[in-house]
Amino acid sequence: MYVSDCVSVNERGHLTIGNYDTCELAKKFGTPLYAFDENEIRKNLREFKKSIDDEYAGNGLVVYASKAFCCKEMVRICNEEGTGIDVVSGGELYTAMSVDFPAENIVFHGNNKTYDELVMAVDYGVGRIIVDNLTELETLDKIAKEKGKTMGVMLRIKPGIDAHTHSFIKTGQIDSKFGFALETGEAMEGIKAALAMENINLRGLHCHIGSQIFDLDPFELAATVMLDLFKQVKDETGTELGELNLGGGFGIKYLKSDRPRPYSDYMRKVSAAVNSYSAELGLKTPFILIEPGRSVVGAAGLTLYTVGCVKDIPDVRTYVSVDGGMCDNPRYALYQSSYEVICANKASEKRDWTVTVAGKCCESGDLIQEWTRIQPVEPGDILAVLSTGAYNYSMASNYNRIPRLPVVFVKNGTAREVIKRETYAQLCECDV
Ligand SMILES: *Cc1c(COP(=O)(O)O)cnc(C)c1O
C-alpha cells in the first residue's frame, strides 16, 4: 500500500512502523522524531550478505556505507549481522572504534582524508583504506613506515560511467573529485606506485558509480571496465590483484513510481558478468566487496512531525508547517527529492488534499515536499514522511540552533531510543 514495506495501518486507522503505532511513538518520544524498523534493517543486511555468499561462493564482503545513517547501535547491528562498514571520516571511524568494530572489516573512504584521520586508521589497523590520490598514497606509506605497519589499500578508480541519476549525486565520471582517472593513465600510475611501496599492500581496486540507481547495466559495465584494468595490471606488472570493490548506489522506493529491483537480481547479473569475464581474461574471480548504504536503511526509517499552522493562500497554495524541516531533512532543499507524506493519525482516510509541507527554519527553501497529496490535516495532527532512513539524520544540521532529533528503533513490539534528543545545553557545550 505504501512505498515502504515496514509501514502499515492499524485498526485505529493509525500508521504503523514495524507494527508499532506511530502516534504512540510520537506521544512517547515527542516530535520531531526519526523511527526505524530494526527488523527491516537486519533483513536488508542479511539479503545482501546471503546473495554475495551465494553468488561468489562466500568470497565477498558486504560493507555497509555508514554515511547513510551512522550511530553506535547501527554499527553494532552490522557487526552482529556479519557485515563490514564503510566510514568516510574520523567521526565515523571513531563511532566504529567505540563499539570495538573489527578493524579488518572497516573500509575507509574519502577524497581528502586528513593526516590525523590517516594516523587514526593506521593505529586502529583498518583493513582497507580506499586511497583516492597519489598524495594520500605517499602520506599513508610514510605514516605506516613510521609505525612499522603495512596497510591494506584499494585504489578508487573513476570508471567513467554515467549511471543516469540525478546530476548532483553522480560520482562515476571523469569530471569528479573522487578517485584516479582511467583514461589519462593516472590509475595505472597510482597502481604501479602502490605496488612499489614497502608499507602498502595493494589489495585491489574500487569504483562507485553513483547513487539511487535502478538500472542494472551500469553496474555490470563498471565491473567489466574494472576487470579490463585488472588484466592490464597483470600484463604490465605481473601482479594479479585480489579484490574488486563495486561500491553502492542501489535505488530504493521513494514514490510508488520507483521500481527498484530485488538486490539478488543485481547480485546475480553482476556476478555472472564478473565470473565469466574474469575467466575470459584468464583471471581468477576476485574477492568482491559491495557498499550498500541507502538500500539498507532508507526505506526502514520515517520521520514524524506535529503539524503547527496551516496557511491557505487562495489560488496559490496551502502551506502545512511542521516542527522540523531542512535541519532534519535537507534533501528536498538540496536535490528536490521526492517523499511520500501521510497523516499518521488519519492514515485510513483519503489523501485528497494537495499541499506544500514546510519546515520551521528561517529559509523560504525550507520545504519537505511541494504539491504532495495528504489527508486534510489540522494543527496537532502527526505527519509521517516515509523512507527517510538514509541521508536524513546523517545530513542533519543545527541550523537555527534547532537540536538534533532522537532516533527510535522499533522491534517486535518494543521501541527504544538509540540516539537521544539533543538538549539546548548540549547545543551550547562547545561555546566558550
Ligand atoms: C555513498 C557511497 C556509498 C553508498 O551509496 P548508497 O547510494 O547509499 O548505496 C558506497 N560507496 C561509496 C564510495 C560512496 O561514496
Side-chain angles (χ1 to χ4, degrees):
M1 174 147 106
Y2 293 122
V3 290
S4 164
D5 292 340
C6 52
V7 163
S8 183
V9 178
N10 66 13
E11 64 290 343
R12 296 166 74 189
H14 292 177
L15 190 76
T16 64
I17 179 161
N19 296 320
Y20 203 107
D21 190 322
T22 57
C23 299
E24 294 301 319
L25 288 175
K27 221 181 278 171
K28 192 166 174 189
F29 299 100
T31 63
L33 173 73
Y34 301 112
F36 286 75
D37 179 355
E38 184 180 332
N39 283 334
E40 184 74 13
I41 294 175
R42 289 183 184 270
K43 190 185 91 190
N44 291 334
L45 289 171
R46 280 174 206 164
E47 269 175 26
F48 274 117
K49 186 165 160 37
K50 184 180 182 321
S51 52
I52 210 164
D53 286 347
D54 289 352
E55 302 298 334
Y56 297 101
N59 269 320
L61 182 66
V62 177
V63 174
Y64 166 64
S66 72
K67 72 174 191 228
F69 171 69
C70 182
C71 67
K72 286 184 181 183
E73 189 60 9
M74 185 63 211
V75 177
R76 283 187 203 107
I77 287 174
C78 289
N79 196 26
E80 283 166 20
E81 296 299 338
T83 72
I85 64 159
D86 138 10
V87 300
V88 295
S89 70
E92 287 179 359
L93 177 56
Y94 180 86
T95 309
M97 287 163 57
S98 67
V99 300
D100 295 324
F101 198 88
E104 166 61 18
N105 289 344
I106 299 177
V107 166
F108 191 9
H109 272 286
N111 68 300
N112 192 22
K113 303 174 194 76
T114 65
Y115 187 85
D116 289 350
E117 285 173 328
L118 288 173
V119 168
M120 200 171 158
V122 172
D123 283 341
Y124 196 59
V126 166
R128 296 170 182 86
I129 298 186
I130 313 292
V131 170
D132 179 90
N133 56 72
L134 217 48
T135 307
E136 185 186 316
L137 187 64
E138 286 161 359
T139 307
L140 181 64
D141 183 48
K142 195 168 134 277
I143 296 170
K145 193 164 287 150
E146 279 164 13
K147 293 182 178 282
K149 290 194 176 188
T150 300
M151 296 305 294
V153 157
M154 305 185 86
L155 298 192
R156 177 159 183 166
I157 308 296
K158 283 184 246 199
I161 289 155
D162 177 355
H164 297 293
T165 180
H166 198 292
S167 58
F168 284 120
I169 42 180
K170 211 159 18 182
T171 55
Q173 297 110 312
I174 185 158
D175 180 14
S176 160
K177 69 171 183 170
F178 296 106
F180 292 84
L182 259 182
E183 294 86 343
T184 60
E186 191 185 19
M188 187 54 85
E189 189 194 347
I191 291 163
K192 286 180 178 167
L195 286 173
M197 288 176 178
E198 232 173 86
N199 298 73
I200 296 292
N201 168 24
L202 183 63
R203 297 180 74 157
L205 304 176
H206 167 277
C207 67
H208 171 73
I209 57 171
S211 206
Q212 188 56 3
I213 302 166
F214 292 121
D215 196 355
L216 301 182
D217 295 335
F219 290 110
E220 189 182 1
L221 185 60
T224 57
V225 168
M226 294 297 284
L227 286 171
D228 280 333
L229 182 56
F230 273 57
K231 166 79 172 140
Q232 201 190 334
V233 171
K234 188 181 175 187
D235 289 348
E236 286 190 28
T237 69
T239 301
E240 189 166 340
L241 297 172
E243 299 185 350
L244 172 58
N245 185 332
L246 292 167
F250 319 112
I252 67 161
K253 207 169 163 126
Y254 284 106
L255 293 180
K256 282 205 174 67
S257 51
D258 292 334
R259 299 255 178 275
R261 308 281 286 270
Y263 307 126
S264 51
D265 283 10
Y266 154 83
M267 219 64 80
R268 202 167 309 124
K269 187 168 160 101
V270 175
S271 68
V274 167
N275 286 318
S276 67
Y277 199 52
S278 302
E280 195 178 311
L281 295 174
L283 302 168
K284 286 194 288 285
T285 297
F287 184 90
I288 299 291
L289 295 98
I290 57 163
E291 304 174 322
R294 186 194 312 273
S295 49
V296 173
V297 289
L302 53 74
T303 311
L304 297 172
Y305 302 104
T306 302
V307 174
C309 59
V310 177
K311 202 169 281 182
D312 180 42
I313 309 172
D315 303 321
V316 180
R317 64 166 117 186
T318 301
Y319 284 97
V320 171
S321 292
V322 296
D323 53 357
M326 65 190 295
C327 44
D328 59 77
N329 183 356
R331 293 190 67 254
Y332 187 78
L334 278 174
Y335 323 114
Q336 291 78 52
S337 307
S338 301
Y339 287 105
E340 196 166 74
V341 187
I342 291 157
C343 180
N345 53 303
K346 296 176 177 166
S348 51
E349 291 176 27
K350 245 179 106 162
R351 282 191 282 165
D352 56 5
W353 208 32
T354 302
V355 302
T356 289
V357 179
K360 61 172 287 166
C361 299
C362 293
E363 179 76 39
S364 313
D366 170 30
L367 305 173
I368 297 291
Q369 205 61 202
E370 290 182 279
W371 312 109
T372 188
R373 287 172 86 79
I374 63 172
Q375 294 87 351
V377 296
E378 54 196 5
D381 281 343
I382 305 294
L383 277 195
V385 179
L386 304 191
S387 300
T388 58
Y391 305 110
N392 273 234
Y393 171 80
S394 63
M395 291 180 102
S397 75
N398 282 126
Y399 182 50
N400 293 161
R401 286 229 146 170
I402 296 172
R404 265 170 242 253
L405 281 49
V407 177
V408 163
F409 275 15
V410 168
K411 187 187 177 188
N412 307 336
T414 61
R416 60 181 178 126
E417 260 177 332
V418 297
I419 301 176
K420 293 183 191 148
R421 190 181 300 280
E422 198 172 30
T423 64
Y424 290 136
Q426 285 168 333
L427 276 176
C428 294
E429 214 160 58
C430 297
D431 294 9
V432 176

